[in-house]
Amino acid sequence: MAKLWTGRIAGKTDPQANDFNSSISFDQRLYAQDIQGSKVHSSMLAKQGIITTEEKEKIHQGLEEILDLMNQNKIEFSHEYEDIHTCVEQLLTEKIGDAGKKLHTGRSRNDQVALDLKLYVAQEIGEIQKAIKQVIHALCQVAKANADTIMPGYTHLQRAQPITFGHTLMAYATMLKRDFKRLANTLEIMDECPLGAGALATTTFNLDRDYTAKHLGFSKPMSNSLDAVADRDYCIEYLSDLSIMMMHLSRLSEEMILWSSWEFKFIELDNAFSTGSSIMPQKKNPDMCELIRGKTGRVYGDLIGLFTVMKGLPLAYNKDMQEDKESVFDATDTVMMCLNVLAPMIETMKVLKDNMKSAGQKGFINATDCADYLTKKGMPFRDAYKLTGELVASCIEQGIVLEDLPLEQLKQISPLFDQDFFDSVDLLNCVNQRHVYGGPTPKSVLAQVEQMEQFLANDHE
Ligand code: ARG
């Protein structure tokens, strides 16, 4: 197949160099965006009188036929095509003849690829946002059913204070809401069209860049042509957003792995989301969670890879930038798989409420409440803290917990202790006493769910 650049460079490309240079094996994924861009570009050329209306009609018809064939997987993306842009243009010219050769007037593959990838990222942001909402929805469902399920809250992975399982799940839902917003913000910043920047310095043809920007769904054209063809910030921002989101999914996965261990036994994953061992008959492994945690590294790799590709490039386009696409595609696929498996895994997991509660009863997670009790009766907090610490130490020695101490013994330690002490260190009361905004009470959890459900319905609370 003849190269686009046969005029200047005579002779055949070395076959290995040809394969090395070719991006069609991966950028074929951009065919729909490439055709969309070409249709709008040719409409603009006709509107400006650069090509005739008949030529435009022929181009559109040819492009639509190619799109159909590609949608039906009927085109073989041979390595002979250097990239998707060459492929579409050559197929078009084979189909419609000379009019096809006019399509590239006033355009370069440099602004073309910048456009295609931008359209692709914008579309995938929408898909990922939908998938994020599915996970948030799943978290809300389980949080609602567990608004009053007591569990120990941890700091340093040591039992700290009593909270509710619903509160924990809504923490993750809240992180995911920010991830959603981060993607929306990226979409807003990238909402400028690179088409018309040409190779780097626009073109001598009288293009209407406002027209192409508008008809491709952008609010305006990019204001500097060098920047337009050299910018991959939007890919890096997209990959950063996805990396942050994967960090959240990985933390949740890590907790689910811990919670489903014999040591915790707070949840049991549905069989549909668990695997066994080839040798140990007792095993039920949380492989899906482990893979989400593991694939987080992969998405970080995509981000760091592209950061590194871009860091030393002089303006404007450099072929190094062909490396952008595989990072973007790989991260997109990975994130979609993770979100899609996580939502049903959360919805179907069994919550072992009794185990959560009894774990809460063992670790003195009501010690702060004991100190608060004495403080409310008039003892300075620092003294109350110290006295409670001594009580805890003596309980540990006796193998009992605070609420097992007889009132007479407590009264000997401090006359401030009374019958109401036992209520104030009851775990459900400990949770319910924390009725500050954003806290773990069942009421607060249900309010958080309600606010989140409003966000799911309208994109804002
Ligand atoms: N395949 C190329 C890429 O993905 C398209 C742009 C090629 N431009 C060029 N001047 N060689 O970056």
Side-chain angles (χ1 to χ4, degrees):
M1 205 165 299
K3 291 281 181 262
L4 284 179
W5 20 266
T6 43
R8 166 73 176 82
I9 301 181
K12 275 195 169 310
T13 317
D14 173 87
Q16 289 205 65
N18 188 67
D19 284 357
F20 185 60
N21 191 45
S22 165
S23 53
I24 189 85
S25 62
F26 49 88
D27 68 13
Q28 55 183 265
R29 212 196 257 229
L30 299 174
Y31 75 84
Q33 289 77 14
D34 197 72
I35 290 174
Q36 185 191 0
S38 289
K39 282 176 79 177
V40 174
H41 178 66
S42 55
S43 294
M44 182 275 295
L45 292 178
K47 181 182 89 65
Q48 298 297 91
I50 302 168
I51 61 172
T52 65
T53 310
E54 296 73 58
E55 286 166 339
K56 178 204 86 180
E57 300 286 308
K58 271 191 170 176
I59 291 174
H60 276 217
Q61 208 187 333
L63 288 172
E64 272 154 31
E65 284 171 28
I66 294 169
L67 181 64
D68 266 356
L69 291 171
M70 289 182 169
N71 281 338
Q72 296 170 53
N73 278 325
K74 287 202 179 139
I75 300 283
E76 204 211 320
F77 292 105
S78 135
H79 259 215
E80 287 299 309
Y81 297 120
E82 196 182 327
D83 52 31
I84 187 63
H85 326 295
T86 328
C87 170
V88 171
E89 191 181 326
Q90 282 181 358
L91 291 172
L92 182 70
T93 305
E94 279 162 29
K95 235 181 220 306
I96 67 167
D98 279 352
K101 295 188 198 161
K102 295 194 175 182
L103 169 63
H104 210 51
T105 311
R107 188 176 69 170
S108 157
R109 279 183 299 160
N110 297 352
D111 58 345
Q112 191 176 357
V113 72
L115 170 69
D116 292 3
L117 193 56
K118 218 173 208 192
L119 290 173
Y120 174 85
V121 169
Q123 170 195 304
E124 293 303 324
I125 285 180
E127 294 304 310
I128 291 172
Q129 284 182 318
K130 273 188 227 154
I132 293 178
K133 283 191 167 183
Q134 296 294 327
V135 177
I136 296 181
H137 174 77
L139 288 166
C140 285
Q141 293 310 103
V142 185
K144 223 189 284 186
N146 289 282
D148 58 359
T149 302
I150 303 289
M151 72 180 287
Y154 295 82
T155 62
H156 313 268
L157 204 55
Q158 302 286 325
R159 290 172 187 156
Q161 290 180 348
I163 54 171
T164 48
F165 190 48
H167 193 51
T168 300
L169 296 178
M170 288 316 290
Y172 285 104
T174 309
M175 296 174 217
L176 281 167
K177 184 171 90 176
R178 281 197 301 276
D179 296 329
F180 180 102
K181 288 184 170 180
R182 223 172 261 120
L183 285 165
N185 188 44
T186 299
L187 206 51
E188 196 185 315
I189 296 174
M190 68 187 263
D191 181 22
E192 294 182 347
C193 183
L195 190 64
L200 72 163
T202 72
T203 166
T204 53
F205 293 96
N206 177 29
L207 305 185
D208 182 347
R209 292 192 62 204
D210 287 312
Y211 176 94
T212 43
K214 185 168 149 241
H215 285 82
L216 286 163
F218 293 94
S219 52
K220 52 179 180 290
M222 291 180 81
S223 62
N224 181 297
S225 67
L226 290 174
D227 176 47
V229 289
D231 162 38
R232 295 294 183 274
D233 309 0
Y234 67 92
C235 297
I236 291 176
E237 212 180 330
Y238 173 64
L239 294 174
S240 310
D241 297 345
L242 299 188
S243 295
I244 295 173
M245 185 182 75
M246 286 302 295
M247 180 259 296
H248 291 149
L249 300 189
S250 184
R251 293 180 73 175
L252 173 57
S253 298
E254 167 65 12
E255 297 234 52
M256 288 172 73
I257 293 164
L258 286 173
W259 294 337
S260 52
S261 69
W262 282 94
E263 284 68 16
F264 278 79
K265 263 200 158 307
F266 285 1
I267 60 167
E268 187 177 339
L269 294 175
D270 192 82
N271 287 347
F273 296 94
S274 309
T275 56
S277 153
S278 60
I279 175 172
M280 297 167 281
Q282 85 283 12
K283 291 300 281 296
K284 183 170 178 185
N285 294 333
D287 286 32
M288 312 306 140
C289 300
E290 294 165 68
L291 279 171
I292 294 172
R293 190 176 60 184
K295 282 173 190 294
T296 301
R298 195 184 165 114
V299 176
Y300 290 0
D302 291 325
L303 169 66
I304 302 299
L306 188 55
F307 257 136
T308 314
V309 165
M310 295 304 293
K311 75 181 258 299
L313 298 187
L315 291 179
Y317 177 82
N318 299 271
K319 190 72 170 215
D320 315 45
M321 289 155 76
Q322 182 164 285
E323 292 292 311
D324 56 3
K325 281 167 279 299
E326 284 166 294
S327 300
V328 165
F329 296 157
D330 182 69
T332 305
D333 291 343
T334 305
V335 158
M336 280 305 275
M337 279 192 293
C338 293
L339 291 168
N340 286 340
V341 80
L342 193 52
M345 185 160 62
I346 292 169
E347 256 158 23
T348 55
M349 72 188 180
K350 202 193 285 166
V351 179
L352 305 174
K353 300 185 186 203
D354 291 344
N355 291 351
M356 285 191 189
K357 182 145 191 216
S358 54
Q361 276 155 345
K362 288 175 202 152
F364 297 96
I365 60 179
N366 50 5
T368 316
D369 299 81
C370 173
D372 286 354
Y373 171 86
L374 293 170
T375 308
K376 283 174 192 159
K377 299 250 166 166
M379 189 182 285
F381 177 75
R382 200 39 73 206
D383 296 340
Y385 170 96
K386 185 160 177 280
L387 192 146
T388 305
E390 286 159 8
L391 271 181
V392 167
S394 109
C395 282
I396 291 172
E397 234 166 67
Q398 299 171 60
I400 57 172
V401 291
L402 289 173
E403 45 273 53
D404 294 335
L405 290 164
L407 185 56
E408 308 80 71
Q409 199 180 322
L410 288 166
K411 274 186 182 297
Q412 277 163 22
I413 295 163
S414 165
L416 295 175
F417 280 115
D418 216 332
Q419 189 58 42
D420 57 354
F421 166 73
F422 297 99
D423 267 351
S424 77
V425 293
D426 170 83
L427 292 189
L428 184 59
N429 291 337
C430 293
V431 167
N432 277 326
Q433 283 168 98
R434 291 178 163 73
H435 38 66
V436 174
Y437 176 78
T441 65
K443 200 169 154 219
S444 162
V445 171
L446 293 176
Q448 292 175 50
V449 171
E450 200 187 311
Q451 206 183 11
M452 197 58 81
E453 282 174 342
Q454 273 184 39
F455 165 73
L456 291 179
N458 330 311
D459 286 3
H460 56 79
E461 321 76 289

